Amino acid sequence: MTNKLKYFIGNWKMFGDFSSLKIIKRINNFCLKFRKKNKNSKVILCVPNILINFFSSKLNSDVISIGAQNCSHNKNYGPFTGSVSASMLKKSGANYVILGHSENRFEGESNKLIMQKIENALEANLKVIFCIGETQKQKNKCQTFSVIGNQLKKSIKKSFDKNKIIIAYEPVWSIGSGKIPKKNELIKTFKFIKNLYKKLFKTKKYPKVLYGGSVNNKNITLFSKISEIDGFLIGGASQSSKKFIDIIKKYYK
Ligand code: 13P
């Protein structure tokens, strides 16, 4: 059930400008050195659309991949003011896209709409980081498994290429709050997601499942002991090169 390769994915959210190149350069320099002793980690930074091309062309890195944070449910080009399609993201240098983030679900994204976005992203040859997770209210009502099960069933088609989808379990109540699930809860939830996914989509391998929500350079030690976790989707702490690098270093300590 455990995958050796570990993902460290930064979600910058609404943060950054051209001067932020220095942050990503520091992370890139760290990764170049770190790769010599550790080949089992993959670093991806999901940045605002305006920075994708700038970062990917300036860095031209083979140790950091650049990703986007959302895409339109419409394909290619069209009369959709303010929208950016998956194929446009790919052409600008993104290789990954986060979809189904709770901050976008709050804005009205349904499971069905997210399914369309996943389809478009895969067609555009982007890899998908698909977010699922329960709210505090749903957790209180013991609905965690039914909520995340539903999110998986309703947004992933059997025909999707499962090698190009990474799941990110992000309990909504944990995002930006400093609160994290208990170790035994995490183990149970990760086992649930992996088993359900394999059963639903009849995959040979278990999916890669990341944890997201208040990950920092202190609690990473606790997460590192849970082998079912295949990596992390890191919000606030990924906006600082020092904090992000510290998380990676401490994970392997
Ligand atoms: P924080 O790490 O800031 O809690 O955010 C998590 C998140 O939403 C990543 O997608």
Side-chain angles (χ1 to χ4, degrees):
M1 187 172 274
T2 59
N3 291 295
K4 230 178 155 202
L5 181 73
K6 302 290 172 185
Y7 287 82
F8 296 88
I9 307 183
N11 174 9
W12 273 17
K13 308 194 181 186
M14 195 166 73
F15 166 82
D17 54 35
F18 292 121
S19 72
S20 315
L21 181 65
K22 59 182 181 296
I23 302 176
I24 202 163
K25 272 191 171 165
R26 282 189 215 118
I27 299 173
N28 192 57
N29 288 342
F30 164 77
C31 292
L32 283 170
K33 282 185 225 144
F34 194 67
R35 174 171 69 171
K36 290 185 188 135
K37 48 182 182 180
N38 183 313
K39 296 211 177 349
N40 290 324
S41 53
K42 170 96 191 126
V43 174
I44 302 159
L45 286 174
C46 297
V47 298
N49 290 349
I50 53 149
L51 297 175
I52 293 171
N53 186 258
F54 179 64
F55 283 174
S56 50
S57 56
K58 287 273 178 196
L59 273 185
N60 198 15
S61 173
D62 62 347
V63 284
I64 294 185
S65 297
I66 302 292
Q69 301 170 11
N70 203 353
C71 69
S72 171
H73 59 284
N74 290 301
K75 290 182 193 187
N76 303 320
Y77 299 149
F80 308 109
T81 305
S83 301
V84 176
S85 66
S87 57
M88 289 161 74
L89 293 174
K90 178 71 188 181
K91 280 180 214 159
S92 67
N95 283 313
Y96 291 81
V97 63
I98 296 172
L99 293 174
H101 195 285
S102 58
E103 286 154 11
N104 296 319
R105 290 180 190 262
F106 280 137
E107 298 287 330
E109 286 194 3
S110 63
N111 288 322
K112 196 167 164 223
L113 186 99
I114 295 163
M115 182 170 80
Q116 185 58 57
K117 292 186 178 203
I118 298 177
E119 184 161 285
N120 296 357
L122 295 174
E123 261 179 44
N125 209 14
L126 288 170
K127 291 194 179 119
V128 171
I129 302 149
F130 172 47
C131 302
I132 57 174
E134 83 286 0
T135 62
Q136 182 69 65
K137 219 167 155 190
Q138 290 163 336
K139 179 178 164 61
N140 295 347
K141 288 199 222 155
C142 299
Q143 292 172 337
T144 300
F145 287 1
S146 63
V147 168
I148 59 183
N150 215 29
Q151 289 169 334
L152 286 175
K153 279 180 220 158
K154 299 227 164 114
S155 292
I156 298 189
K157 280 191 193 170
K158 294 211 165 76
S159 59
F160 288 171
D161 182 350
K162 305 298 177 309
N163 293 319
K164 296 199 169 134
I165 300 175
I166 300 167
I167 308 294
Y169 170 59
E170 298 206 306
V172 181
W173 51 271
S174 171
I175 296 176
S177 67
K179 291 190 270 179
I180 55 167
K182 293 188 189 80
K183 187 178 174 189
N184 65 333
E185 283 175 340
L186 278 170
I187 295 174
K188 262 198 232 158
T189 309
F190 272 70
K191 283 193 172 155
F192 171 78
I193 296 170
K194 292 191 175 193
N195 285 323
L196 179 70
Y197 192 95
K198 199 163 174 255
K199 198 171 122 200
L200 280 177
F201 307 116
K202 301 190 171 50
T203 54
K204 283 197 197 94
K205 288 185 282 182
Y206 286 106
K208 294 189 169 66
V209 186
L210 317 181
Y211 171 77
S214 293
V215 174
N216 61 36
N217 53 9
K218 296 196 176 70
N219 59 27
I220 191 68
T221 310
L222 181 148
F223 291 120
S224 70
K225 300 198 168 75
I226 306 174
S227 60
E228 286 82 5
I229 300 182
D230 299 309
F232 304 91
L233 185 53
I234 304 159
S238 72
Q239 297 169 358
S240 145
S241 53
K242 181 173 175 343
K243 288 183 184 163
F244 190 68
I245 291 168
D246 253 18
I247 289 174
I248 303 176
K249 281 189 189 160
K250 292 227 170 112
Y251 179 85
Y252 288 103
K253 249 192 187 156

